[in-house]
C-alpha cells in the first residue's frame, strides 16, 4: 500500500481494511519461533544490547523482547492520522465486526503482513470506522511504501549503535535502506559485522562473518534452547 494513496482515497482504505480484516485472525495468532526466543534470552543474559527489527508482526514483543525498536512500526497498533491517538488493532477488529455483522467473504492465503487478496466487488459494502476520539482516518502504525521512518526513531537507533560493540544481522536481505543505513554507519565506526541469512544481503561486503542458513537453526546451535 502506498502511503499517499491510503491517505487520499477512501476506496483504497476500504479495500485495505477489508483485506486486513479477513486476514487478521490468522495473522495475529502467529507465535515466535526459536530465533525470536534465542534473541530474547540473549537480552536477558546481557549479550544483546538492542534489537532493531524491520518486521511489523510483533513476534519479538511476543517473545518478551524489551530492548526493541520496531523500525517500520507494528500492525498490532493503529494510529489516527488526525489526532495521533494509538489504539490496539484487536480493538479495531471488534469494531469491524460490529459495523459489518453480515459481511463475509472468501479469501486466499494470508500474506506476512496480514493482507489477503479480494476482488473489488467483494469489498463494496465493507464499513470502516473512524477514530472514536476525533473522527480522523485510522491507519496501521506501520511505514507504508512512499513514507519514511521518523527521524527521531532513526537517531535513537544510531545512538544505540554507538553504545554497541558489534552488529549481528539475523534474517534480513537489507534491501531496504531504512535498515541498511545502520550497517553503513557500523562500517564507518569500524564495528565488526556478522550476518546470518539464507541468501545474499546488501551488506555482505561489510561483514567479517557470514553464515548461510535458517536463523532458528543457526542461533539454536550457538545457544541451544
Amino acid at each position: 500500500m502506498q502511503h499517499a494513496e491510503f491517505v487520499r482515497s477512501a476506496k483504497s482504505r476500504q479495500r485495505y481494511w477489508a483485506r486486513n480484516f479477513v486476514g487478521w485472525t490468522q495473522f495475529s495468532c502467529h507465535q515466535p519461533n526459536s530465533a525470536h526466543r534465542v534473541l530474547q534470552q540473549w537480552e536477558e543474559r546481557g549479550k544483546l544490547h538492542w534489537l532493531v527489527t524491520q518486521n511489523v508482526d510483533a513476534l519479538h514483543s511476543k517473545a518478551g523482547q524489551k530492548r526493541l525498536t520496531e523500525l517500520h512500526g507494528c500492525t498490532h497498533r493503529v494510529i489516527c492520522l488526525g489526532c495521533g491517538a494509538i489504539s490496539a488493532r484487536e480493538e479495531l477488529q471488534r469494531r469491524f465486526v460490529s459495523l459489518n455483522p453480515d459481511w463475509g467473504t472468501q479469501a486466499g492465503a494470508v500474506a506476512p503482513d496480514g493482507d489477503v487478496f479480494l476482488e473489488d466487488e467483494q469489498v463494496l459494502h465493507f464499513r470502516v470506522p473512524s477514530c472514536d476520539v476525533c473522527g480522523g482516518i485510522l491507519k496501521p502504525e506501520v511505514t507504508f511504501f512512499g513514507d519514511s521512518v521518523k527521524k527521531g526513531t532513526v537517531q535513537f537507533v544510531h545512538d544505540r549503535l554507538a553504545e554497541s560493540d558489534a552488529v549481528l544481522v539475523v534474517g534480513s536481505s537489507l534491501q531496504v535502506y531504512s535498515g541498511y543505513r545502520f550497517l553503513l554507519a557500523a562500517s564507518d565506526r569500524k564495528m565488526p559485522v556478522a550476518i546470518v541469512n539464507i541468501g545474499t544481503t546488501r551488506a555482505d561486503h561489510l561483514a567479517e562473518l557470514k553464515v548461510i542458513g535458517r536463523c532458528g537453526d543457526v542461533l539454536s546451535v550457538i545457544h541451544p534452547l
Side-chain angles (χ1 to χ4, degrees):
M1 170 61 70
Q2 291 287 336
H3 179 84
E5 180 184 357
F6 186 92
V7 173
R8 179 180 63 247
S9 170
K11 285 188 176 297
S12 293
R13 293 195 296 274
Q14 180 190 45
R15 183 172 63 251
Y16 175 88
W17 279 123
R19 292 162 61 165
N20 191 267
F21 168 73
V22 173
W24 178 252
T25 300
Q26 179 179 332
F27 172 78
S28 61
C29 288
H30 293 167
Q31 295 300 312
N33 61 27
S34 56
H36 298 104
R37 294 193 293 271
V38 168
L39 292 170
Q40 190 276 330
Q41 290 187 9
W42 285 1
E43 177 186 277
E44 280 191 350
R45 299 184 182 192
K47 297 181 180 296
L48 191 155
H49 177 57
W50 205 267
L51 191 149
V52 179
T53 180
Q54 296 178 132
N55 295 334
V56 298
D57 51 23
L59 292 181
H60 287 293
S61 293
K62 288 183 179 181
Q65 203 84 35
K66 298 294 191 295
R67 302 175 69 82
L68 169 70
T69 294
E70 293 166 320
L71 196 62
H72 293 164
C74 180
T75 55
H76 287 253
R77 297 188 297 270
V78 176
I79 186 169
C80 172
L81 297 181
C83 67
I86 302 293
S87 56
R89 174 63 182 79
E90 196 61 42
E91 172 59 30
L92 182 60
Q93 189 75 357
R94 289 190 284 269
R95 295 181 67 191
F96 281 138
V97 172
S98 178
L99 283 174
N100 302 278
D102 301 320
W103 191 86
T105 189
Q106 297 297 317
V110 180
D113 64 352
D115 194 15
V116 298
F117 178 76
L118 297 176
E119 299 289 350
D120 288 345
E121 58 268 21
Q122 292 178 284
V123 306
L124 285 177
H125 303 293
F126 186 77
R127 298 177 63 192
V128 178
S130 301
C131 174
D132 56 9
V133 176
C134 75
I137 294 171
L138 295 178
K139 172 186 172 292
E141 196 195 17
V142 299
T143 303
F144 282 158
F145 292 106
D147 198 5
S148 57
V149 179
K150 294 178 181 177
K151 291 182 179 179
T153 301
V154 173
Q155 186 56 53
F156 180 86
V157 175
H158 276 299
D159 292 343
R160 301 293 77 74
L161 181 68
E163 299 165 350
S164 304
D165 301 313
V167 175
L168 173 64
V169 177
V170 179
S172 175
S173 66
L174 296 170
Q175 292 304 311
V176 179
Y177 179 74
S178 57
Y180 178 61
R181 77 179 99 199
F182 301 115
L183 276 298
L184 295 176
S187 178
D188 289 342
R189 291 177 173 274
K190 309 299 182 185
M191 297 173 66
V193 172
I195 297 175
V196 178
N197 198 54
I198 291 177
T200 59
T201 83
R202 193 175 178 182
D204 282 357
H205 65 291
L206 303 176
E208 294 187 13
L209 174 66
K210 170 73 181 292
V211 179
I212 299 175
R214 295 178 62 86
C215 299
D217 295 341
V218 174
L219 297 187
S220 295
V221 169
I222 298 172
H223 182 114
L225 291 170

